[in-house]
Each structure stands twice: as C-alpha cells, then as structure tokens.
Amino acid sequence: MSKIVTFGEVIMRLSPPGNRTMKQSHEMEFFFGGTELNVAASLATMGCEVQHISCVSDDFVGESAVSFIRGFGIGTIFIDKNEYPLGLYFLEVGSSVRASRIAYNRLNGSFANIRPEKIDWDKALEGCGYFHWTGISPGISESAYEALKEGLKTAQHMGIEVTTDPAYRSNLWKYGKNGSEVLKELVSYSTIFIGGVNEINEILGTRFSLNKEGFIEACKELKQQIPSVYKIFDKIRIGVTASSQQTQGRAWVNENYFETDLLEINPVVDRIGTGDAFAAGLIYGLKNFDDEKALNFANAACAIKHTIPGDINYSSVEDILEVMNGNSGGRIKR
C-alpha cells in the first residue's frame, strides 16, 4: 500500500482535568496533537504507512513530541527542529450548556518558523499515494505557507492524490496575506476537498445556503472554478448541547449527491479532533472502499472520536466498522 504524507504543526494541548475551568484547577493534563498530526496518528492506528512533515522545538519538549509520534509508527525523518518553543493551546472542556473554550499560543512557535528550504519534497513524497494538508498550516506563518506550496507543487507534478480540509481560522493570518486568496490558490493543487458550504463560500467569496440544494450548487461552482477538485466530502455537525452532538456526512462526486444517516453521540467526552477523525476515516475509506462506503466510514470515525479524550482517534478499523454497521449500543466486549 502506498504511504500517506501529512504536513502540519505538532502542538501541545493543556487542559484542566475533567470539565473544570482553569480558575478552579491547579493542575493540567497535556496531550500532543495538531490537526494534520491527528489525521496521521489515526491513519497509523488503522494500519496505514504514514510520514509526517513538521518542525518542533530543539529541546526535551520537542523530543517528547517526536517520541510520541514515533509511538504510532509514523515516520519522523522529515520533522526538523529549531530554537523556537513548541506551539501550545489551552482548552477548557465544556459540558451541557457551557461551551468549551480555547486559547492558542502558536504564532511564534517552532512550526511558525519552519525553514522551507530544509524540506526535500521529492524525497519526502517518494512512494506517496495521498498527501494531506489543512488550512491551518498556511495561516500560521509565511514560511509555513511557502513550505506547503512547494510540497503541493511537487505532489501535483508527481500525480499524487491531494486531500485538503481548507479550514479558515480568523485568529490566524497575521502576516499580511489574505487567507481566502491563499486557500483558493493552494486548493488549486488539490484533488479531494473535505469541507462544505462554509469553506466554499470563504474561498470563493460566494453566499450559497447551507441546505442540500445550496451544498450541491456550491460544489458545482467549486469544481467550475477549481477543476483539479473532483471529489467533495462534507461533515455536518448538529450541536444539541456541548454534551450532545449529531454527525452526518454528505458528498458530491461524479455529479451525484449522497449522504449518510445521522449518528448521535450522547454524552460527548471530547469533541476536539473529531473533524480530523473524519478526514482520516475518509482517506482510509477512499483507499479501501467505494466512495459511499468511505463517507459512511468517515462519519463513523468522527462519531466515535467524540467518546475518546485527547486530540487523536485511537479507534481501530474494526471499532469504526462496528459503529458504521449500527453496533453502537456500547455492550461490553468479552
């Protein structure tokens, strides 16, 4: 099986235990993650060969992060180190009517200061079948944008499938470039779009509605303006409260619309990384199933991640298939 390559920040998450606020807690739990790393780790857990490209701090924190990544069997040869601190964020996990809250400290971290010239993209993408990126990376810094752009050009030249979750984060993009314009440029090197109406509207400057008809029209416009994209997959989240969520997948492929059933998660343990679990499930599904089954697999992966603390989906293929096939009663396995 061809390997999967991911590119993005390795970031540390700090959270008070349980559902406490920082004001009432004197200790913090930490997890290593990062949007693209979450995808890589989930795919490695499902048995895929994965290589992650990034930059971490040249200290014991960065070394701990690399050791954590290696524990999944992910290749780390293209993870560089520099003198800047590892990026981090703080999370208060909400419950019921109280929303979760996040504060980031990443814009002068090690990944923000990645050196594009140090990445040998021809070597890094050798034997690669899928290259995955998200809109987080180019928003962090100009050097991260330049590194990613070079990787995407190389991937396009090599005929690699490029999956993108072009998430726009308004708290990023502090270095002078227009986020929407950059994302549209980078999506033009991609082939599989993981996003919905909000993402398409942000990139194209359109105002399509969020319903089914709006999604289909948005997909048609995206393919018209960016012909390299030939498959579009979307994750819908319906939040009842912070502790109760529903997920559904929908897609536009070969001029055909299809969707999954709704999956309900109650109670939610941790919703961080659920979109990354969807992306990883989709990539695994596209490598192993037809498009409709891939979407159902992705939705099940997203749903089950809501029950796992931390940023990463530790579920196996068998775990996800059980949820996909309706075995969601939570009976003890003996």
Side-chain angles (χ1 to χ4, degrees):
M1 294 176 65
S2 57
K3 72 179 179 181
I4 301 161
V5 175
T6 53
F7 171 83
E9 183 177 27
V10 180
I11 192 168
M12 178 187 285
R13 161 181 158 183
L14 296 165
S15 290
N19 296 101
R20 296 182 182 183
T21 68
M22 288 191 67
K23 291 179 181 178
Q24 68 181 135
S25 182
H26 299 284
E27 57 183 338
M28 305 281 275
E29 298 176 325
F30 78 88
F31 306 88
F32 289 114
T35 299
E36 299 86 356
L37 175 59
N38 298 342
V39 173
S42 181
L43 285 164
T45 300
M46 289 187 276
C48 298
E49 179 186 358
V50 188
Q51 183 92 42
H52 189 61
I53 302 172
S54 190
C55 185
V56 300
S57 55
D58 190 10
D59 55 22
F60 69 91
V61 180
E63 185 54 45
S64 296
V66 173
S67 178
F68 171 80
I69 296 167
R70 288 186 184 133
F72 289 93
I74 297 169
T76 60
I77 190 172
F78 294 102
I79 296 181
D80 194 21
K81 294 183 179 180
N82 63 26
E83 66 273 22
Y84 296 90
L86 194 75
L88 57 87
Y89 73 98
F90 300 89
L91 168 70
E92 288 182 343
V93 179
S95 180
S96 186
V97 297
R98 178 170 61 88
S100 297
R101 299 197 300 177
I102 292 177
Y104 288 101
N105 186 349
R106 71 197 311 178
L107 294 182
N108 194 39
S110 48
F111 183 77
N113 289 279
I114 193 170
R115 299 174 179 90
E117 70 277 4
K118 296 191 72 174
I119 305 172
D120 184 342
W121 282 106
D122 287 316
K123 188 173 182 182
L125 295 176
E126 185 178 358
C128 174
Y130 282 79
F131 177 43
H132 181 71
W133 68 278
T134 80
I136 303 295
S137 294
I140 292 175
S141 70
E142 188 159 13
S143 60
Y145 156 70
E146 293 291 349
L148 174 59
K149 183 177 177 179
E150 188 61 33
L152 289 171
K153 286 182 176 180
T154 305
Q156 186 183 65
H157 177 74
M158 296 172 71
I160 294 168
E161 291 279 19
V162 177
T163 58
T164 177
D165 173 4
Y168 175 79
R169 296 289 185 269
S170 59
N171 62 325
L172 300 176
W173 303 100
K174 305 296 186 184
Y175 61 95
K177 287 191 178 291
N178 181 289
S180 297
E181 292 177 0
V182 169
L183 290 175
K184 184 175 181 180
E185 174 197 20
L186 297 180
V187 170
S188 70
Y189 295 101
S190 306
T191 58
I192 298 170
F193 189 94
I194 306 172
V197 175
N198 285 331
E199 289 76 19
I200 294 172
N201 282 343
E202 187 63 48
I203 292 170
L204 302 184
T206 49
R207 300 184 65 180
F208 292 104
S209 63
L210 298 176
N211 59 21
K212 174 182 173 180
E213 290 72 23
F215 172 70
I216 292 173
E217 291 306 311
C219 291
K220 290 179 178 178
E221 184 64 24
L222 178 67
K223 294 178 71 173
Q224 175 70 28
Q225 292 198 34
I226 307 179
S228 64
V229 172
Y230 73 107
K231 293 183 180 182
I232 302 166
F233 298 91
D234 182 26
K235 170 185 63 63
I236 303 170
R237 185 200 309 278
I238 303 169
V240 182
T241 68
S243 304
S244 179
Q245 303 278 313
Q246 294 176 320
T247 66
Q248 184 181 33
R250 59 184 178 179
W252 181 253
V253 178
N254 296 326
E255 305 303 309
N256 290 313
Y257 172 88
F258 51 92
E259 64 183 32
T260 71
D261 293 333
L262 279 169
L263 290 177
E264 183 171 351
I265 311 99
N266 188 2
V268 171
V269 173
D270 195 331
R271 60 171 284 183
I272 299 296
T274 53
D276 307 327
F278 180 91
L282 181 67
I283 294 169
Y284 181 90
L286 291 172
K287 285 171 66 68
N288 293 278
F289 311 132
D290 62 39
D291 292 331
E292 290 197 45
K293 187 173 180 180
L295 181 64
N296 278 280
F297 187 84
N299 192 46
C302 175
I304 202 171
K305 169 60 191 73
H306 285 77
T307 70
I308 298 173
D311 288 26
I312 292 167
N313 185 11
Y314 288 86
S315 302
S316 67
V317 172
E318 291 73 21
D319 294 334
I320 298 168
L321 285 172
E322 282 204 8
V323 172
M324 187 184 82
N325 292 327
N327 299 326
S328 56
R331 291 175 61 89
I332 296 175
K333 296 179 181 179
R334 301 184 187 275

